[in-house]
């Protein structure tokens, strides 16, 4: 049971390039989330999904898109990367059985946009 | 908007002493709170949670206290060890939401020998 995994671990992009971050979970969780973490700030929610085929915007969705084609995978896309998107990205999942649940996090993807 | 915050950005603790990490929240509708630990280069790891109908909850070497009157949450770590060095986040879940968590900025705990 690997929990939540993220690919890649680290990436460098040039401004304007695109990329996709992959998150996978093997816990059969319904809910999945993408966060970004910047120095001195708490985790900020980018997008989330409450089930296969559904996505919704979080606190800071601009410049990102997501897809949840399979229950176990949640993809985060950057269509045209900007230096402001330099950050550490974390994926998380939760069972989706009740409102009060903890979230389980992946190890993170460190992204540098030049 | 309302948010979760921490009183101290950095806490230095001597090995073997007890640590207390504080968190203030301003949303009175929050009904579920979680403490996470994040080691350098890793993702946040669940430590302990508490629901708003409780004042105290204990785990292995950790205790979370909730004071709803003053909207304050604390994490106590007993007999702090070098492996406890990390950033600690509190997070709150607002009542009747779908499970969305709001995170504080974190407190860096440094354990000294």
């Amino acid at each position: 049971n690997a929990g939540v995994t993220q690919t890649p671990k680290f990436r460098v992009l040039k401004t304007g390039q695109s990329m996709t971050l992959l998150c996978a979970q093997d816990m059969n969780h319904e809910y999945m989330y993408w966060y970004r973490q910047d120095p001195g700030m708490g985790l900020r929610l980018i997008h989330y999904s409450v089930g296969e085929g559904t996505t919704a915007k979080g606190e800071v969705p601009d410049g990102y898109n997501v897809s949840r084609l399979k229950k176990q995978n949640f993809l985060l896309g950057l269509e045209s990367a900007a230096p402001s998107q330099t950050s550490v990205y974390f994926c998380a999942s939760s069972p989706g059985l009740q409102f009060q649940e903890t979230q389980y996090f992946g190890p993170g993807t460190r992204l540098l946009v030049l | 908007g309302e948010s979760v915050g921490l009183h101290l950005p950095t806490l230095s603790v001597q090995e073997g002493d007890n640590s207390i990490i504080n968190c203030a929240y301003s949303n009175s509708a929050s009904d579920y709170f979680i403490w996470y630990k994040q080691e350098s280069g890793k993702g946040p790891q669940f430590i302990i949670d508490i629901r708003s109908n409780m004042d105290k909850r204990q785990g292995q070497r950790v205790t979370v206290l909730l004071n709803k009157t003053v909207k304050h949450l604390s994490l106590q770590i007993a007999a702090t060890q070098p492996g406890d060095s990390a950033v600690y986040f509190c997070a709150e879940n607002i009542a009747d939401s779908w499970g969305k968590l709001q995170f504080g900025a974190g407190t860096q705990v440094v354990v000294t020998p």
Side-chain angles (χ1 to χ4, degrees):
Chain A
N1 190 333
V4 180
T5 58
Q6 294 183 230
T7 308
K9 288 183 171 56
F10 177 71
R11 184 76 182 268
V12 178
L13 290 179
K14 294 181 179 179
T15 297
Q17 287 185 319
S18 64
M19 78 164 294
T20 300
L21 282 67
L22 171 63
C23 175
Q25 53 93 6
D26 60 2
M27 298 175 282
N28 200 34
H29 285 174
E30 288 293 334
Y31 292 179
M32 297 187 74
Y33 316 81
W34 274 109
Y35 293 90
R36 61 177 290 172
Q37 185 178 45
D38 300 296
M41 301 182 70
L43 292 161
R44 291 185 293 169
L45 184 64
I46 304 171
H47 286 280
Y48 64 94
S49 168
V50 298
E52 182 179 317
T54 72
T55 63
K57 294 180 180 180
E59 180 185 355
V60 288
D62 294 342
Y64 305 95
N65 57 74
V66 287
S67 64
R68 183 101 181 266
L69 299 179
K70 294 183 179 180
K71 185 177 182 178
Q72 64 269 31
N73 296 335
F74 195 29
L75 278 63
L76 178 71
L78 285 73
E79 293 183 343
S80 180
S84 61
Q85 294 178 305
T86 293
S87 189
V88 182
Y89 292 86
F90 288 100
C91 176
S93 70
S94 64
L97 299 175
Q98 54 184 337
F99 286 139
Q100 298 175 342
E101 292 181 333
T102 190
Q103 296 177 14
Y104 299 88
F105 286 82
T109 294
R110 190 173 297 271
L111 176 65
L112 175 61
V113 182
L114 301 176
Chain B
E2 297 180 89
S3 63
V4 178
L6 297 176
H7 294 309
L8 300 174
T10 304
L11 178 65
S12 184
V13 182
Q14 194 161 12
E15 183 177 355
D17 287 350
N18 296 335
S19 303
I20 299 177
I21 306 163
N22 297 304
C23 177
Y25 67 96
S26 56
N27 194 327
S28 58
S30 295
D31 63 352
Y32 177 57
F33 305 87
I34 306 170
W35 280 101
Y36 285 94
K37 173 186 180 182
Q38 186 176 23
E39 297 176 273
S40 181
K42 298 184 179 180
Q45 178 184 6
F46 171 84
I47 301 174
I48 192 168
D49 59 1
I50 188 168
R51 303 187 189 281
S52 59
N53 61 353
M54 304 172 68
D55 297 322
K56 179 180 180 179
R57 191 167 189 215
Q58 289 183 293
Q60 187 176 10
R61 282 201 308 118
V62 295
T63 300
V64 55
L65 299 177
L66 177 62
N67 186 330
K68 295 180 287 294
T69 301
V70 295
K71 298 188 183 67
H72 185 266
L73 190 70
S74 69
L75 177 69
Q76 300 178 0
I77 305 173
T80 309
Q81 303 170 358
D84 294 327
S85 291
V87 175
Y88 290 81
F89 298 92
C90 64
E92 63 178 325
N93 170 247
I94 300 172
D96 297 330
S97 73
W98 48 266
K100 179 180 176 181
L101 297 178
Q102 187 167 352
F103 292 85
T107 293
Q108 176 76 56
V109 173
V110 178
V111 181
T112 59

